[in-house]
């Protein structure tokens, strides 16, 4: 599934940043992140980063008791990226799996960051940006992930969940260490993204939503003039 399936060809921007993108005043994702204006419209990310890919990392059923009875929703964990330095992460919840996935993709685009890539290993002589520029750590719940620059040719020494996040960010070579309850996919993925976020020097308006409920409310609320 392509993340661009979320895009609406008839998009009419309703935020200041969206209008700047549509009018051509901002024509790169880096400029959008550095503008100081919050990302509120997934469609502008589609315009600035065509060809985004997405990966569904986990789908889980969430049950909650209410006054009217038991309510069941699906929670989907998604990462999106262009394999060239840009990556976003999010969780989405909905009554239907497909809707939860699409919601998570849209939120992940709003959480987009630029990852500083380079050749940060002392063993490496490559000038190509294939790894991180420095060691970084991230944490979510009981899980802590450390990503260490590695020389070209090593590949990604990481679990499947960590590997998916790093690959979509454009990291080809890295050592990783993880601690805590790493069988919890959502925390492992979130900790990996948090490590990349900590390594990033780009401005990231709003930061990563700590809870999917807050992220959902951001998507569902009416977008006002910025």
């Amino acid at each position: 599934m392509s993340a661009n399936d979320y895009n609406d060809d008839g998009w009419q921007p309703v935020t200041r940043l969206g209008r700047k993108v549509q009018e051509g005043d901002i024509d790169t994702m880096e400029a959008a992140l550095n503008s100081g204006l919050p990302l509120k419209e997934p469609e502008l990310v589609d315009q600035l980063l065509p060809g985004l890919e997405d990966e569904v990392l986990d789908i889980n059923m969430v049950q909650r008791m209410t006054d009217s009875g038991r309510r069941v929703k699906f929670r989907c964990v998604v990462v999106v990226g262009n394999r060239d330095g840009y990556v976003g992460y999010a969780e989405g919840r909905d009554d239907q799996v497909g809707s939860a996935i699409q919601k998570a993709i849209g939120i992940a685009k709003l959480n987009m960051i630029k990852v500083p890539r380079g050749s940060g290993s002392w063993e490496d002589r490559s000038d190509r940006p294939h790894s991180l520029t420095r060691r970084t750590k991230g944490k979510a719940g009981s899980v802590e992930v450390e990503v260490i620059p590695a020389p070209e040719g090593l590949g990604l020494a990481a679990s499947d969940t960590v590997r998916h996040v790093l690959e979509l960010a454009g990291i080809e070579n890295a050592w990783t260490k993880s601690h805590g309850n790493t069988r919890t996919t959502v925390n492992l993925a979130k900790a990996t993204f948090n490590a990349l976020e900590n390594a990033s020097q780009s401005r990231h308006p709003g930061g990563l939503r700590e809870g999917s409920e807050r992220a959902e409310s951001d998507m569902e609320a009416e977008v006002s003039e910025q």
Side-chain angles (χ1 to χ4, degrees):
M1 175 171 46
S2 169
N4 285 325
D5 291 342
Y6 189 91
N7 190 28
D8 180 5
D9 292 335
W11 171 54
Q12 292 297 323
V14 294
T15 64
R16 183 179 172 190
L17 179 58
R19 286 192 290 272
K20 283 180 174 290
V21 170
Q22 190 176 69
E23 293 167 1
D25 295 334
I26 292 179
D27 57 4
T28 67
M29 194 67 219
E30 183 174 10
L33 291 174
N34 290 333
S35 69
L37 300 172
L39 292 177
K40 290 290 187 179
E41 299 176 86
E43 296 86 355
L44 72 84
V45 180
D46 289 326
Q47 289 208 9
L48 297 176
L49 293 176
L52 278 177
E53 299 179 33
D54 65 75
E55 184 76 33
V56 178
L57 302 178
D58 186 57
I59 300 176
N60 197 16
M61 189 185 305
V62 179
Q63 300 185 45
R64 186 172 67 177
M65 291 299 299
T66 66
D67 293 339
S68 59
R70 179 175 298 174
R71 295 190 60 186
V72 177
K73 284 192 174 185
F74 293 95
R75 182 190 66 192
C76 296
V77 178
V78 171
V79 60
V80 301
N82 69 344
R83 298 182 183 270
D84 193 24
Y86 288 95
V87 67
Y89 163 90
E91 303 164 41
R93 298 189 188 191
D94 203 275
D95 296 335
Q96 303 295 323
V97 173
S99 298
I101 292 174
Q102 290 302 316
K103 184 176 291 185
I105 290 174
I107 299 169
K109 291 177 183 179
L110 304 185
N111 286 331
M112 193 68 65
I113 62 172
K114 181 181 180 182
V115 179
R117 298 182 303 153
S119 178
S121 173
W122 63 270
E123 302 175 82
D124 197 14
R125 298 181 182 276
S126 174
D127 295 326
R128 191 174 66 88
H130 61 87
S131 188
L132 288 172
T133 57
R134 62 182 179 87
R135 182 185 301 233
T136 183
K137 289 183 180 180
K139 185 175 175 61
S142 67
V143 179
E144 184 174 283
V145 172
E146 183 176 9
V147 185
I148 306 168
E152 191 167 21
L154 175 77
L156 292 173
S159 65
D160 288 342
T161 298
V162 175
R163 182 181 297 111
H164 287 316
V165 178
L166 296 180
E167 285 178 342
L168 286 183
I171 304 300
E172 302 172 24
N173 301 281
W175 284 289
T176 64
K177 297 179 182 179
S178 57
H179 308 280
N181 187 11
T182 56
R183 289 179 296 179
T184 307
T185 302
V186 59
N187 282 344
L188 184 58
K190 187 183 292 186
T192 305
F193 180 77
N194 181 241
L196 297 179
E197 191 175 29
N198 288 338
S200 175
Q201 299 302 311
S202 298
R203 299 182 66 176
H204 182 206
L208 174 63
R209 309 293 199 271
E210 287 299 324
S212 59
E213 294 290 342
R214 178 181 171 189
E216 288 179 36
S217 66
D218 284 348
M219 286 292 293
E220 294 168 357
E222 181 181 355
V223 179
S224 59
E225 174 74 16
Q226 300 301 319

